[in-house]
Amino acid sequence: MKFAILLAASFLALATATHAEQTTYANPVDIDYRYNFEQQNEGISYRTGADPAVVLHDGAYYLFQTLADGYWRSEDLIHWTFITPSRWPFESIVAPALVSDGKTLYIMQSHTRQTALLKSDDPASGKLDFWVRRTPPVPTAVGEGTDDSHLGPDQVQPSPWDPGLFIDDDGKWYMYWGSSNIYPIYGIEMTPEPFAYKGKPNRFIWLQPEKHGWERFGQDHSGKLPNGTPIKPFTEGAWMTKVNGKYYLQYGAPGTEYNVYANGTYVSDKPLGPFTYADYNPVAYKPGGFVEGAGHGSTFQDKYGNYWNTGTPWLGYNWTFERRIDMLPAKFYADGQMAVSARFGDFPHYVPKSKIDDPEKLFTGWMLLSYRKPVSVSSQHAPVEGQNFDAKNATDENPRSFWLAADNKPGQTLTVDLGAEKTVRAIQVNYADYKSGLYADSPDIYTEFTLEASIDGQAWAKVAETEAPRRDRPNAYFELPQPVKARYIRYVHGHIGAPNLAIADLRVFGNADGKAPEKPTAVLAKRDSDQRNARISWKPVPGAVGYNVRWGIRPDRLTLTYQLFAEDDDKEFGGRQHGNALDLRALNVGVGYYVAVEAFNETGVSKLSKVIRIR
């Protein structure tokens, strides 16, 4: 009887799937990330996703990113369509700036020499025109190839790299830029047509890792490379947002290669400063979970006036700069504080269709059902040079481990046992690249598979499948049109463009029956003699799958979150945070903080613990 109900619900879901309105998304953003060509000579193949710039233009959202040979368009922030442009730089575009004046969309790629820039009055069609055929040099900037290790006080490094464009309410244009672990974020006034810079660059932001714990480089701000070599942090990715007369000059730090890549902001009453460091920094921070990192992106408003912040999560299996894109809800409080919600930032979230007051209400409440659940597969590749490709890797919430099938033939399967019958609402399939050997797009690079559900592991019903038009979906996300009761979820392979079938994680979301965990107790928060660090601990909660440590500069405004799992014993890069304690290394010297902890499991989220001061 139960399976008959499952079948009926599943077939109804499929029958209405093309008509049902998807209301949610999950990070990483589900777009057809393109294969990178930069490391072709080294034989390093991976999909690129980084430095997203999103702008609302003529009723649609446009997404540009690094090295994509095109861009994406969306009308709802859920479904994105890749647009092949009429012209594009041969070297492609890195870390683009994007701005709309209401009529024209302007695009500026990172460059260190005079170059051509593009614009479009009809970006939906892909028709791009020249904005300027040859940009003027940035005043006082040294030329490309110049040794900039000892620039004079009036000189600027080769520019502009990682640019950001901003049009003020009075129609004046400004450019902000910078990418360095030596030099600052710069800013200058400019005119668009004719393209010209006005005056000399202003110097705004240098990193201060000795004061700002979150600006320290490395895994969990270790300040070191994996081999123990100390390294200075990097500042990059300038972006300007004006809200209620305040100018928020945002920047990414301390480096894209690790879990702590974040966005911060300085604030001013004027577009060219002086700017003041925001003591609530970082604003976008996501060091834990499947999606790690949230730095170097853009802040934009949707059609209803809600703010969003995009960023660059880190993968780093094939290449240190192997990354993806995330999108997190944001807000600006009445007192001026900027905040980005990364709480459950890689779980499904609603996309609003009206103005909302609290970004955290966009979290669906659909919990992760697949974490470390048993997995069975149709085949498995043998270990290579000590690396295993076990089926269990597909449920470990680690994007750098994966299941590798023995071959890439249609019909290969991966089955997750959820342990009991549960309500499934969404499924995400995250592919990995293993010796893919691809460096450009081609017609055979597309994804096809089906997802099936079962209660007993014997009789199966299809609950989702890829549909036309064909496209590559390395992080395919499916919101089921109707919830399905199931114990088993099965991936049935059809096609991918790469020669090897590798799945990093098959993530299943929904809810189990029962009570949410009890709220954590005995929370302790001890700040070190080094004020950038604190030790947070609490009594383990029975039945908890994981915890969110939440902190902020006000007891009623815990804007930052570190998610960790209760039994995470993965020791990559010196050990990930796990258990019932957290070494928090992201604090600002001289700033007071408050902290609380919540527990979560497959049923839901506990009440928040008592909020205490970090002393």
Side-chain angles (χ1 to χ4, degrees), residues 292-541:
E292 297 177 310
H296 193 152
S298 57
T299 298
F300 69 96
Q301 278 185 288
D302 64 23
K303 298 176 182 179
Y304 312 102
N306 303 301
Y307 283 96
W308 298 85
N309 185 262
T310 65
T312 306
W314 177 63
L315 292 185
Y317 172 77
N318 291 287
W319 183 247
T320 187
F321 297 115
E322 182 181 16
R323 298 163 291 178
R324 291 290 189 264
I325 289 172
D326 68 12
M327 184 175 73
L328 300 170
K331 76 173 292 182
F332 292 83
Y333 288 90
D335 62 5
Q337 180 175 347
M338 179 182 179
V340 177
S341 177
R343 177 176 174 260
F344 295 113
D346 50 26
F347 287 23
H349 276 62
Y350 293 110
V351 174
K353 291 196 171 182
S354 63
K355 186 74 171 68
I356 61 167
D357 295 324
D358 183 3
E360 289 191 4
K361 291 182 179 179
L362 297 180
F363 172 46
T364 59
W366 303 346
M367 308 309 296
L368 180 66
L369 304 178
S370 50
Y371 179 60
R372 292 199 169 183
K373 293 299 171 62
V375 179
S376 58
V377 294
S378 55
S379 71
Q380 184 170 300
H381 199 287
V384 177
E385 298 178 349
Q387 182 180 4
N388 74 74
F389 308 105
D390 292 345
K392 67 180 181 180
N393 294 341
T395 59
D396 66 358
E397 288 291 285
N398 182 349
R400 286 171 290 281
S401 67
F402 49 87
W403 162 65
L404 182 64
D407 59 53
N408 185 15
K409 295 178 181 178
Q412 293 277 11
T413 61
L414 182 153
T415 304
V416 178
D417 180 356
L418 301 179
E421 182 180 320
K422 294 167 185 176
T423 301
V424 177
R425 294 181 176 271
I427 303 171
Q428 185 187 54
V429 180
N430 298 277
Y431 292 93
D433 277 295
Y434 177 75
K435 297 184 178 180
S436 293
L438 300 173
Y439 305 96
D441 195 39
S442 66
D444 65 338
I445 299 179
Y446 62 88
T447 304
E448 282 187 349
F449 63 86
T450 59
L451 295 170
E452 300 175 338
S454 174
I455 288 176
D456 59 6
Q458 301 298 317
W460 295 87
K462 188 186 299 183
V463 294
E465 63 183 348
T466 52
E467 297 177 339
R470 287 174 167 174
R471 66 181 177 96
D472 194 25
R473 300 186 66 177
N475 302 95
Y477 171 75
F478 293 87
E479 173 191 336
L480 304 188
Q482 296 184 18
V484 171
K485 288 286 188 179
R487 172 171 175 171
Y488 301 92
I489 297 296
R490 181 165 70 184
Y491 166 93
V492 182
H493 184 57
H495 176 87
I496 57 172
N500 297 299
L501 172 58
I503 294 180
D505 275 79
L506 193 156
R507 309 176 74 217
V508 182
F509 298 97
N511 298 95
D513 295 332
K515 295 182 179 179
E518 297 295 323
K519 72 177 181 181
T521 59
V523 178
L524 299 175
K526 177 65 175 176
R527 204 158 185 174
D528 294 350
S529 56
D530 183 343
Q531 289 192 9
R532 300 173 297 176
N533 307 328
R535 176 75 169 178
I536 316 298
S537 63
W538 56 94
K539 184 178 179 180
V541 176

Side-chain angles (χ1 to χ4, degrees), residues 184-204:
I185 296 291
Y186 302 94
I188 194 171
E189 187 178 350
M190 59 174 290
T191 58
E193 295 182 7
F195 190 106
Y197 298 111
K198 300 180 68 174
K200 293 183 179 180
N202 298 268
R203 294 165 170 81
F204 294 135

